Amino acid sequence: MVKLSVIVPFYNVQQYAPDTLKSLRANARDDFEFILVDDCSRDETPDILARAERELPGAVHVRHEQNGGLATARNTGIDAARGEYLTFLDGDDWLAPGYYEQLLASIEELGCDFVRTDHVQCTARARSVHRVPYGRRGVVLDPREAILPADRSTSVDYAYAWAGIYHRRLADRGLLHFTDGLRTAEDRPWIWKLHREAESFATVGLLGVFYRRGVASSLTQIGDVRQLDFIRAFDQVVSETAEDRDADKLLPKAVRTYCAIISHHLGSIERFEPPVARKLKSMSAVALRRMPQDVLDDALDSMDIQRATRLRRLRRRPAAAGVSA
């Protein structure tokens, strides 16, 4: 019986994959499996993973013949997983030795659907601890309680899939799969679905994942059209939340977060290629008009003047022909 399945997508990370794999080796156990999904890398990553399949206990190497993006690669791993519990790691991040044993012990002790954890963010030599934005630790709770309030950072804003562990019953219910083909913000519809539909969760003050920021190949560093998938991701969040039994309570949070992300991208629009920047403005304007307008009005009224003015100006922007998400 496999106790824990660790799903690790890799794409063109030859510089970092050896550290990731070394940290997995320091977390190996006879009943753990490591599903290494190569998302059609074009560098030396496939060779590194082929060696790991021979040398890393519990390694399972899966290769995509076409690049599908992080969401699709994670789904491949979920479908291949045999464990009672599942977790994720990205191919350029790493772990503290023995971390997974502690993580597994925490969810087994609590007996809930999923557990969320803190992490260490690493930018060059700098290290900073990032906490799950929920104060109660080690207590089993209803995940829906951690979505609100709308005007503060909450658990649905801490969307990192690798910052936690998940019982297989969530995968069996279809709650662990990501929206296929999303290139960025793939974890936003995912975390919202978890918090709306799972039955129990807890947060624990456990540090062991080291999240590498500033990687040149990361989509967060690249200003191309794939970044605009955040619009499709948040459209999904809003539409699914609108169907929820508590839509009147939850929609303000979904819409406000969507607005904040649009404003964030507009505030750093210079990092986008010029055609993508134009498309960002047009698609964002259409997205604002798609939102529930009364909820949007309230969200804009509650935001700071700079962001609200930027979004109101965009909302009035004439629609470009043929522009959609």
Side-chain angles (χ1 to χ4, degrees):
M1 178 72 182
V2 176
K3 180 62 75 170
L4 177 66
S5 297
V6 183
I7 296 155
V8 196
F10 294 82
Y11 179 64
N12 289 349
V13 286
Q14 63 180 22
Q15 181 179 352
Y16 307 110
D19 288 341
T20 303
L21 295 164
K22 182 179 178 181
S23 74
L24 290 174
R25 190 172 295 111
N27 277 268
R29 210 171 81 172
D30 289 345
D31 54 352
F32 289 2
E33 67 175 2
F34 304 113
I35 302 173
L36 315 177
V37 183
D38 175 23
D39 194 21
C40 198
S41 297
R42 300 301 185 188
D43 62 359
E44 299 301 315
T45 300
D47 295 335
I48 295 170
L49 298 183
R51 287 196 301 273
E53 187 173 32
R54 298 190 299 268
E55 299 171 2
L56 173 62
V60 179
H61 183 198
V62 182
R63 176 167 169 79
H64 284 172
E65 293 304 317
Q66 291 185 325
N67 178 260
L70 183 58
T72 301
R74 284 177 174 162
N75 288 342
T76 294
I78 293 168
D79 291 340
R82 299 174 297 152
E84 182 180 356
Y85 298 94
L86 292 80
T87 189
F88 302 92
L89 185 68
D90 286 351
D92 51 9
D93 299 335
W94 75 98
L95 307 161
Y99 168 68
Y100 281 149
E101 193 148 11
Q102 299 175 62
L103 185 61
L104 177 62
S106 70
I107 194 169
E108 289 192 313
E109 179 181 346
L110 291 162
C112 51
D113 283 344
F114 67 100
V115 165
R116 302 289 285 159
T117 69
D118 306 328
H119 72 275
V120 180
Q121 182 173 297
C122 308
T123 307
R125 293 179 179 272
R127 302 287 186 269
S128 58
V129 173
H130 289 245
R131 305 284 186 189
V132 185
Y134 196 77
R136 299 179 66 185
R137 300 297 174 104
V139 179
V140 178
L141 301 163
D142 181 348
R144 297 173 74 87
E145 295 179 4
I147 296 175
L148 299 176
D151 60 349
R152 286 172 49 191
S153 181
T154 70
S155 289
V156 291
D157 303 308
Y158 187 84
Y160 313 106
W162 35 257
I165 184 170
Y166 315 91
H167 196 283
R168 164 161 291 282
R169 58 180 169 262
L170 295 176
D172 294 341
R173 290 179 56 196
L175 300 184
L176 278 192
H177 283 77
F178 295 78
T179 302
D180 201 51
L182 277 181
R183 298 286 178 152
T184 191
E186 75 292 327
D187 45 11
R188 297 301 187 130
W190 177 87
I191 193 70
W192 271 84
K193 181 169 60 176
L194 266 185
H195 275 277
R196 285 194 315 264
E197 300 186 31
E199 295 177 1
S200 59
F201 96 115
T203 64
V204 295
L206 184 61
L207 288 172
V209 179
F210 293 83
Y211 169 43
R212 197 188 303 269
R213 289 296 304 270
V215 176
S217 61
S218 170
L219 272 185
T220 58
Q221 303 296 310
I222 298 171
D224 71 13
V225 72
R226 292 173 293 179
Q227 281 279 9
L228 303 188
D229 272 10
F230 85 88
I231 292 176
R232 187 156 66 98
F234 275 97
D235 277 352
Q236 182 181 342
V237 170
V238 170
S239 64
E240 290 178 350
T241 303
E243 298 297 320
D244 189 88
R245 65 180 185 269
D246 293 322
D248 58 331
K249 297 178 182 177
L250 302 182
L251 262 178
K253 172 66 175 176
V255 168
R256 184 185 170 92
T257 305
Y258 196 172
C259 288
I261 298 296
I262 290 174
S263 181
H264 166 76
H265 283 300
L266 292 173
S268 56
I269 200 166
E270 68 282 349
R271 69 191 177 90
F272 289 94
E273 302 159 358
V276 179
R278 291 192 293 272
K279 193 169 185 180
L280 168 64
K281 290 181 178 179
S282 297
M283 290 177 66
S284 297
V286 173
L288 288 171
R289 289 192 284 272
R290 264 198 307 270
M291 296 178 198
Q293 294 300 292
D294 56 336
V295 181
L296 176 59
D297 285 337
D298 290 344
L300 295 177
D301 287 344
S302 70
M303 298 176 81
D304 64 83
I305 188 67
Q306 182 179 16
R307 288 194 297 175
T309 300
R310 177 186 290 155
L311 292 169
R312 288 192 175 103
R313 186 182 302 123
L314 186 68
R315 188 187 189 184
R316 295 192 296 269
R317 180 188 175 99
V323 172
S324 61

